[in-house]
Amino acid sequence: MNKKFTTAGVILTAGMLLAACGSDDSTTGSEGSSEGAAGGELNLLEEGQFTTASSGLYKPFSFEEGGELKGFDIDIGNAIAEEMGLEPSPVTTPFETIIQGLNSNRFDAIIGSMSKTAERAEQVSFSDPYYYSGGAIFVREGTTDIQSVDDLADKKIGVVGQTTYDTVAQEHTDDIQYYSSDVVALQDLEIEGRLDAVITADVVGFEAQNEGLAVEMVGEPLWVEQPSIAVRKDDEELLAAVNEALDTIIENGTYEEISQKWFGRNLLDIDLEGVEVLE
């Protein structure tokens, strides 16, 4: 898939994370056939239907409003399904067990702001990236004792479990508060005495700021992640179809329209030169 990245720098200025989000694998929506035979060569749970999972707790990427799933991830999943000639069927499941849900045939793919990592790639196959996001530290407004990642030692950090942010937090402190939603973690951060910092996607933190939370980002993003669509390891035909559909919606302007709708910018349009990209 050919892409051009033109924006200077890696500062991601958008409203928001997930990457970057129990033990309950239950999902909303239809689970269909456990064998996936109904889906033909694409091995879909239901013939003619593309069932995709997200946490539903990661505004503005996936969230529920008025009984309906909305967000950037949802719109991208719907557009890809339609490009493949399939009916979109987004469902929700806890992020902590979303890979287990995929490999247990509860849905066809994960479109839930899951960043590609070497460890995850051992369990699932990933598409080309469908956006780029910066991992960042957020603190309450006016905080002065956290100026960099080196200041996180012995601090209480809020993260969503089993995320790339969780991994970084574990490298710097033993005092971690786990959440099912980055948004809830940022809401707690605003309350003095609850948390010292939250590690999440920059766009998620910016969205919280846009909604009035008194939080601020520390410095620049620590790294850039590549959220991608995950399918089961043996679903090679489905992966190829997803990549082709993704490439098409980028080329025909559908992706640009969706990204502008949610963020006022194109989340693929950044300069990666000289920036650490998580793989």
Side-chain angles (χ1 to χ4, degrees):
M1 180 169 64
N2 295 321
K3 310 185 190 75
K4 296 182 179 179
F5 308 106
T6 57
T7 301
V10 71
I11 300 176
L12 307 179
T13 55
M16 197 178 204
L17 279 190
L18 218 16
C21 317
S23 58
D24 182 6
D25 276 337
S26 63
T27 62
T28 61
S30 171
E31 293 184 3
S33 166
S34 62
E35 297 297 323
E41 65 178 9
L42 294 184
N43 195 33
L44 301 175
L45 299 185
E46 294 286 351
E47 185 176 2
Q49 183 171 292
F50 189 40
T51 306
T52 59
S54 64
S55 72
L57 299 171
Y58 198 47
K59 190 175 183 179
F61 290 88
S62 66
F63 61 100
E64 294 190 38
E65 185 175 85
E68 181 183 358
L69 268 176
K70 298 181 178 181
F72 175 79
D73 285 345
I74 307 304
D75 284 355
I76 291 295
N78 291 347
I80 286 174
E82 291 167 6
E83 185 62 37
M84 293 193 297
L86 301 170
E87 178 185 353
S89 178
V91 302
T92 63
T93 196
F95 190 87
E96 295 88 341
T97 55
I98 201 167
I99 287 180
Q100 294 94 311
L102 175 63
N103 286 329
S104 297
N105 296 299
R106 292 181 179 271
F107 30 84
D108 300 312
I110 298 168
I111 306 183
S113 291
M114 174 170 282
S115 296
K116 180 180 179 180
T117 66
E119 181 178 0
R120 288 170 177 166
E122 293 178 358
Q123 304 174 70
V124 297
S125 292
F126 284 101
S127 72
D128 297 321
Y130 70 98
Y131 75 91
Y132 293 96
S133 171
I137 301 167
F138 282 84
V139 297
R140 283 186 305 282
E141 282 186 358
T143 297
T144 59
D145 60 341
I146 299 177
Q147 300 293 323
S148 72
V149 69
D150 296 329
D151 297 324
L152 295 179
D154 301 322
K155 302 297 186 183
K156 188 171 186 179
I157 302 174
V159 294
V160 173
Q162 301 301 310
T163 62
T164 51
Y165 314 123
D166 181 12
T167 301
V168 173
Q170 291 183 45
E171 293 174 354
H172 294 278
T173 185
D174 294 325
D175 194 359
I176 299 175
Q177 177 69 47
Y178 287 104
Y179 293 84
S180 61
S181 166
D182 300 75
V183 176
V184 175
L186 288 164
Q187 290 169 345
D188 268 7
L189 177 62
E190 189 183 38
I191 302 171
E192 189 169 357
R194 291 278 183 89
L195 296 169
D196 296 308
V198 167
I199 303 177
T200 186
D202 53 358
V203 287
V204 172
F206 295 151
E207 175 69 11
Q209 290 176 322
N210 290 340
E211 295 192 355
L213 287 185
V215 299
E216 58 188 16
M217 190 172 78
V218 174
E220 303 296 337
L222 304 175
W223 70 89
V224 170
E225 299 189 335
Q226 304 179 80
S228 305
I229 299 164
V231 302
R232 286 176 289 275
K233 294 289 285 187
D234 56 354
D235 284 345
E236 297 179 1
E237 292 84 0
L238 178 59
L239 181 63
V242 165
N243 272 327
E244 182 177 354
L246 176 60
D247 194 41
T248 298
I249 68 170
I250 290 171
E251 293 296 328
N252 68 17
T254 300
Y255 180 94
E256 175 80 21
E257 181 179 345
I258 294 171
S259 190
Q260 290 289 344
K261 168 186 172 181
W262 290 103
F263 305 106
R265 64 181 297 274
N266 189 318
L267 293 190
L268 282 172
D269 187 19
I270 67 172
D271 185 358
L272 300 178
E273 185 176 356
V275 177
E276 179 185 0
V277 178
L278 187 66
E279 296 181 350

